[in-house]
Amino acid sequence: TQSTWGLDQFSQSLSDNYLIQGVIFLNLYSLIGTLTGLPFSVYETFVLEAKHGFNKTTWQTFVSDRIKGFLLSVGLGSPLFALILWLLDSMGDLAWLYCWATVSVFLLLIQFIAPVFLMPLFLKFTPLPDGELKSEIAKFAAKVGFSFQGIYEVDGSRRSSHSNAFFTGFGASKRIALFDTLIKSHTVPELLAVLAHEIGHYKKKHVLIGSFLGILNSGVVLYFISLFIKNEDLFTSFYVQKPTLHVGLILASFLYQPVSLFTSFLTNALSRFNEFQADEYSVRNFRDPNALVLGLKKLSKENASNLTPHWFYVMVNYTHPPVIERIRAIQAI
């Protein structure tokens, strides 16, 4: 587009080095995207979420989250983008393979550093105090051979009344994280049934498979981009008069969007299948299907989930099956 070409011209006016030009272009492009999407984020948070009683976010927290998110994007993304540009410029036809290796290492590192250094920038993790819940979680984890580093309560209520539970990290460094809203609204058996579901994802290798598929997908994306990144017709179609690698990278990514939509059908279907497997693991190992059903009903009610979404909308957008389908599957075990 003309705006992309203008942004590239401005980036080139600030430096003669193509790597610096590329980093400046990427960050400015990202900033513009953030700013143009800001009104929609404000409406979603302070109008839609507030209308249904979910929003607890203050303006200070909202602005702080956006600033920290952008600064992290600049700090982590700039070196990675510069390295990718250098590889694309220096490594010939196999540059996409070197880029894939680089991105794969980056993705794996992020999964290790995010729980310790990045997530605490946005959420407060407090060790769960001693009590029935903590001891029961430890007993069940020991029973099924699930090692972890600690159990933490997350101050999710500072931003929203939505509930959630998740694990972070790998191996013995895994952390169990429970939103304070979840702890407040669920009984101990319900919480254990939900956690058994999450443990099921680890035991069924869903997390490992997901990481592998994420890395595989990045390879497919980079190979696709490599086919078009220097295509003159692509630049001409977007009115770019002086082709550059960093603009080509963005434009080629536009072409990948239809492919991405197709692959999302497959990954969403796999994710929904994994959820059924994790539910089954919870039922067979915690042996309290009623607790899991009650827990899912409460989560559905608290998050105002759509109980009867259209099947096509589910296929396109849902990573989890509708709660009614999950309950039917649980009761059939």
Side-chain angles (χ1 to χ4, degrees):
T1 63
Q2 293 287 359
S3 58
T4 302
W5 166 234
L7 187 61
D8 186 35
Q9 283 184 308
F10 176 73
S11 302
Q12 292 181 42
S13 71
L14 298 178
S15 175
D16 294 328
N17 184 289
Y18 77 98
L19 295 179
I20 296 177
Q21 292 173 5
V23 169
I24 293 173
F25 175 84
L26 173 71
N27 288 319
L28 289 177
Y29 185 85
S30 176
L31 177 61
I32 291 172
T34 299
L35 293 177
T36 54
L38 196 58
F40 300 98
S41 297
V42 169
Y43 181 78
E44 180 183 5
T45 301
F46 294 101
V47 179
L48 289 181
E49 289 283 296
K51 178 182 178 180
H52 296 284
F54 293 130
N55 181 49
K56 306 297 180 184
T57 304
T58 64
W59 280 101
Q60 181 180 358
T61 300
F62 181 86
V63 172
S64 174
D65 284 350
R66 267 63 191 175
I67 292 174
K68 285 187 287 188
F70 179 73
L71 292 177
L72 279 174
S73 174
V74 172
L76 295 174
S78 295
L80 177 65
F81 191 65
L83 181 54
I84 287 175
L85 287 178
W86 180 82
L87 291 170
L88 289 171
D89 184 57
S90 307
M91 295 300 173
D93 293 339
L94 294 180
W96 71 273
L97 275 176
Y98 293 97
C99 291
W100 186 19
T102 301
V103 170
S104 299
V105 172
F106 178 80
L107 291 176
L108 290 174
L109 286 176
I110 285 295
Q111 294 192 48
F112 281 98
I113 68 172
V116 180
F117 299 106
L118 303 184
M119 294 181 69
L121 295 175
F122 300 90
L123 298 168
K124 182 179 179 181
F125 291 78
T126 304
L128 190 69
D130 293 336
E132 180 187 5
L133 177 58
K134 184 176 182 179
S135 62
E136 289 300 319
I137 291 174
K139 287 179 184 177
F140 179 75
K143 172 187 171 184
V144 297
F146 181 79
S147 59
F148 60 92
Q149 183 264 333
I151 310 170
Y152 294 85
E153 182 176 338
V154 181
D155 64 338
S157 60
R158 190 160 64 92
R159 288 175 173 78
S160 171
S161 60
H162 290 299
S163 299
N164 197 11
F166 59 93
F167 295 140
T168 63
F170 286 91
S173 64
K174 292 190 296 290
R175 293 181 174 188
I176 298 174
L178 303 171
F179 274 40
D180 50 3
T181 50
L182 185 73
I183 295 175
K184 182 179 179 180
S185 60
H186 288 67
T187 65
V188 171
E190 290 165 0
L191 287 169
L192 287 171
V194 171
L195 279 175
H197 167 96
E198 298 299 331
I199 291 174
H201 283 306
Y202 274 89
K203 292 294 186 177
K204 297 291 185 178
K205 309 297 183 184
H206 297 161
V207 177
L208 187 62
I209 293 171
S211 297
F212 172 77
L213 290 177
I215 291 173
L216 180 63
N217 182 66
S218 68
V220 173
V221 172
L222 288 165
Y223 175 71
F224 183 92
I225 289 175
S226 73
L227 298 177
F228 297 97
I229 193 170
K230 297 180 181 180
N231 187 296
E232 293 184 3
D233 291 336
L234 178 62
F235 290 96
T236 302
S237 299
F238 285 91
Y239 304 101
V240 177
Q241 300 171 16
K242 184 180 177 181
T244 56
L245 278 175
H246 49 269
V247 173
L249 195 60
I250 297 298
L251 297 183
S253 69
F254 290 164
L255 294 182
Y256 186 75
Q257 292 306 310
V259 181
S260 177
L261 179 62
F262 173 75
T263 57
S264 70
F265 291 163
L266 301 178
T267 55
N268 287 348
L270 177 61
S271 177
R272 293 192 298 271
F273 175 76
N274 289 345
E275 292 301 318
F276 284 124
Q277 282 199 324
D279 284 343
E280 182 180 2
Y281 179 90
S282 175
V283 171
R284 296 193 183 282
N285 288 273
F286 184 60
R287 299 184 180 280
D288 192 343
N290 289 332
L292 182 58
V293 168
L294 287 173
L296 290 175
K297 286 181 177 180
K298 286 184 179 180
L299 282 170
S300 181
K301 180 181 178 181
E302 291 162 4
N303 294 320
S305 301
N306 185 355
L307 298 181
T308 56
H310 192 276
W311 66 267
F312 185 74
Y313 189 83
V314 171
M315 183 177 72
V316 175
N317 295 287
Y318 276 37
T319 58
H320 287 59
V323 67
I324 290 179
E325 292 183 15
R326 293 178 66 180
I327 291 173
R328 287 172 181 164
I330 289 168
Q331 292 173 339
I333 297 174

